Amino acid sequence: MTNTAFDEQGAAGAVAAHSGIRTILQWLESPMAPHPAEELPSLRAQVKAWHEVGGSPQQRALALNGLYERSSSVVAALLPELTELLLPIPRKSRRLVRSVLDLLQMLADDTLEMVEGVAPHDTSDRHQAPDLALWRSLRALAQQLMISHLIASPAPTGAWQQLHQTYALARSLHLEATIPRGQTRKLQHIYQAAILLGCAQPASLTAREVVFLAAYLERFAGQIEPLSAEAAAAAAPGTFWVDPTRDAPALPYSRKLAPSTAPLEYFSCAGLGLLLKTQIAQLNAGTSAEEIGLPELASTPAGVGVLRRLAGRWSDFGKRRFHRRRQGYRAVLGTGIEGLWHLCKEGDTAAVELSSWMITNESPDGYAIRHVSGKISTVSVGNVVAVRTGDEKNWQICLVRWAVSENPEDLELGLQILAPKAVPAILARPGDGEGTEHLRVLVLPEIPSLRPSQLLIVASGALTQNSGKLLLVIEDENLVVREVKSIGIDEQTGSVDILAIQPDATHF
């Protein structure tokens, strides 16, 4: 009697499990919601249900395959929207991001679960193939990290460690160099691209630049060079180390010495740095990004600027020039070329929105600041800002180097001081049609022993690389017209181009 009851209960459980899997498969055949954000709740519910229902291994693999592909489509459709978010991310948008991160975490866990109990090179069932399961788990974790970079937020707890351990499992099964069926990249390239994006100081990138570099690094991740501990000890520029047991990204050898007892992995970005310089030279010579296999953004000044900064970071030691000192005093901030132009020209009478910040530390070449109050919608990495502290009369001109936002009420910025003041000017240039176009620009004075030339700050892409003579109109006590010429690019970001200039006929 007991056996009969047990059999009936087991049969009922099997029917329920089969019904659960069938429900998921039927849902996968339904059309997606009009907006990908509307799809997320039901998609997460189905992924959670998959983890709880039974079914044969083949049925579960088929259902998970459909859920993964549908999730990939939803995340891809949401990326453009996430890329356009301004810091700090509003609560509603942050809830959306958290939902995406949770979905990717479930997928990373569930696809990894499919590796258990299957021979490493068994591809008889393409939905259960271990190389594909590991590839998908790595990909979900890499996307989770990239989206955290997009919103300038710390990575989810455990994400880096899980990425390292999943790749270690792939290596133990000798699958790291495998390209799963239907994919175009090796498992090691997915892992290496995520590691390299962490090495690129993502807090110093805009969301658009993060997406661009993620695509670039996935394409060229194979250029990094593994090193032995002895070779890494030379601490050449672009050398990094990874501790697979820690929940942390790769760290530069020049900034932090590797512990001698941990099982570390070492690699060099020197070869990738040389490739970057070659590609930059090709782009500057007029070669299109498509011709050399680069993402579309590489054809813009902002894209070239990102590649140039990355090549520079991986070509020198990147040590700090000055020590930072902790502080705790207030500062006022103005943002953008237009705002700074009016501040420098009109002073306190300028009709410019200002915000209040707390300086948390400082050095001779910059500040770290935390937002206190006021609108900050135009603050972004790569933009110029003006800072005034205490009773100072002049506005210091700074470049936003990095941004971190752990919650909607918090935003921290790292500022590099470009000059103690700026001269507002009008740049006259030929327009697309007849007549002359006038742009508001800023002229920064030279700084003896640090910078021998003046700098010109213009909106990104406002001038072509081959711009010859530039005509500047400066209105002070008198109206002054100056001819200058660009002698090189000092910095390019998604917001501004900073050119080194010198007088062409007369002097400032």
Side-chain angles (χ1 to χ4, degrees):
M1 186 71 176
T2 303
N3 288 340
T4 303
F6 180 82
D7 291 343
E8 289 177 352
Q9 187 177 22
V15 170
H18 179 75
S19 175
I21 284 292
R22 186 170 57 194
T23 299
I24 293 174
L25 292 173
Q26 289 175 345
W27 179 84
L28 286 169
E29 294 176 358
S30 65
M32 289 180 58
H35 191 278
E38 299 171 1
E39 180 80 5
L40 269 176
S42 54
L43 182 55
R44 289 180 59 198
Q46 294 298 332
V47 173
K48 186 176 181 179
W50 177 91
H51 192 76
E52 297 172 351
V53 301
S56 69
Q58 292 76 18
Q59 289 175 323
R60 288 174 56 77
L62 180 63
L64 184 58
N65 178 73
L67 291 170
Y68 188 95
E69 292 183 350
R70 188 146 175 166
S71 298
S72 297
S73 299
V74 169
V75 173
L78 281 172
L79 268 182
E81 181 178 331
L82 300 181
T83 305
E84 297 300 322
L85 293 174
L86 298 176
L87 298 178
I89 308 301
R91 287 189 177 278
K92 182 178 179 181
S93 299
R94 196 171 284 267
R95 284 195 295 270
L96 173 64
V97 171
R98 190 180 299 115
S99 182
V100 173
L101 295 180
D102 289 346
L103 173 64
L104 290 169
Q105 183 63 57
M106 287 190 290
L107 291 172
D109 294 339
D110 293 344
T111 51
L112 188 61
E113 184 181 306
M114 299 301 294
V115 180
E116 299 176 2
V118 182
H121 297 280
D122 183 0
T123 58
S124 56
D125 184 342
R126 63 187 180 92
H127 299 317
Q128 283 185 279
D131 59 347
L132 179 60
L134 286 164
W135 190 97
R136 284 176 164 175
S137 186
L138 286 171
R139 179 68 170 171
L141 292 167
Q143 285 191 304
Q144 190 183 54
L145 290 166
M146 183 194 70
I147 290 172
S148 298
H149 300 326
L150 282 183
I151 63 169
S153 178
T157 302
W160 282 112
Q161 188 173 33
Q162 187 174 354
L163 182 81
H164 300 322
Q165 292 176 348
T166 302
Y167 183 64
L169 176 58
R171 292 180 67 181
S172 71
L173 298 175
H174 306 290
L175 294 174
E176 71 274 18
T178 304
I179 302 178
R181 185 187 302 178
Q183 307 304 328
T184 58
R185 299 277 184 263
K186 299 177 181 179
L187 275 78
Q188 66 186 28
H189 289 168
I190 301 299
Y191 174 74
Q192 290 168 343
I195 291 294
L196 287 170
L197 188 58
C199 296
Q201 300 178 17
S204 68
L205 303 170
T206 65
R208 189 181 179 209
E209 291 167 348
V210 167
V211 173
F212 163 64
L213 267 191
Y216 175 90
L217 294 172
E218 192 169 304
R219 168 73 174 79
F220 296 103
Q223 297 292 324
I224 67 172
E225 308 157 67
L227 295 177
S228 64
E230 293 74 18
T239 300
F240 293 82
W241 58 271
V242 177
D243 183 350
T245 65
R246 294 180 57 202
D247 185 26
L251 296 172
Y253 211 108
S254 59
R255 285 281 184 94
K256 188 175 179 63
L257 293 178
S260 57
T261 56
L264 306 179
E265 302 285 342
Y266 304 88
F267 63 92
S268 170
C269 294
L272 185 54
L274 291 174
L275 176 63
L276 280 163
K277 291 180 179 179
T278 300
Q279 292 168 335
I280 292 166
Q282 291 174 309
L283 292 168
N284 288 337
T287 305
S288 70
E290 185 179 5
E291 288 180 71
I292 50 178
L294 301 184
E296 184 180 350
L297 187 67
S299 292
T300 68
V304 174
V306 174
L307 298 180
R308 184 180 288 111
R309 295 199 302 275
L310 199 56
R313 287 171 189 161
W314 291 345
S315 299
D316 60 41
F317 288 94
K319 292 184 178 178
R320 301 189 193 282
R321 294 190 301 166
F322 305 105
H323 291 292
R324 296 174 177 175
R325 300 187 302 275
R326 290 188 179 276
Q327 300 291 355
Y329 61 93
R330 293 292 184 98
V332 180
L333 198 76
T335 62
I337 292 180
E338 285 286 320
L340 271 58
W341 191 92
H342 285 288
L343 283 174
C344 294
K345 184 174 177 60
E346 303 161 18
D348 292 338
T349 63
V352 175
E353 284 189 348
L354 302 175
S355 51
S356 179
W357 298 71
M358 180 71 72
I359 292 180
T360 56
N361 68 57
E362 67 175 330
S363 70
D365 63 350
Y367 304 100
I369 62 176
R370 185 187 296 272
H371 181 242
V372 176
S373 62
K375 292 184 179 180
I376 53 175
S377 58
T378 58
V379 174
S380 64
V381 171
N383 209 344
V384 286
V385 299
V387 177
R388 190 171 69 178
T389 61
D391 298 326
E392 289 289 331
K393 180 179 179 181
N394 290 328
W395 291 86
Q396 286 184 313
I397 307 304
C398 302
L399 188 68
V400 181
R401 283 298 185 190
W402 54 262
V404 174
S405 177
E406 297 191 14
N407 59 66
E409 286 77 35
D410 183 66
L411 179 61
E412 295 180 73
L413 302 178
L415 307 181
Q416 177 191 347
I417 299 172
L418 298 179
K421 61 180 181 179
V423 176
I426 297 293
L427 174 65
R429 66 168 189 173
D432 295 333
E434 296 183 0
T436 302
E437 185 177 1
H438 298 87
L439 300 173
R440 290 192 175 106
V441 298
L442 299 171
V443 179
L444 307 185
E446 66 272 12
I447 301 176
S449 76
L450 288 180
R451 187 176 66 232
S453 61
Q454 296 178 328
L455 296 180
L456 179 69
I457 302 181
V458 301
S460 178
L463 297 176
T464 64
Q465 185 180 351
N466 299 321
S467 296
K469 294 182 180 180
L470 304 174
L471 194 65
L472 292 175
V473 180
I474 301 174
E475 184 180 353
D476 197 358
E477 295 180 358
N478 299 307
L479 190 65
V480 180
V481 179
R482 302 293 190 190
E483 281 190 354
V484 299
K485 61 180 179 181
S486 171
I487 57 174
I489 298 172
D490 188 79
E491 185 88 37
Q492 283 180 309
T493 73
S495 299
V496 297
D497 292 340
I498 305 177
L499 311 176
I501 59 173
Q502 67 182 23
D504 187 58
T506 59
H507 297 273
F508 283 106

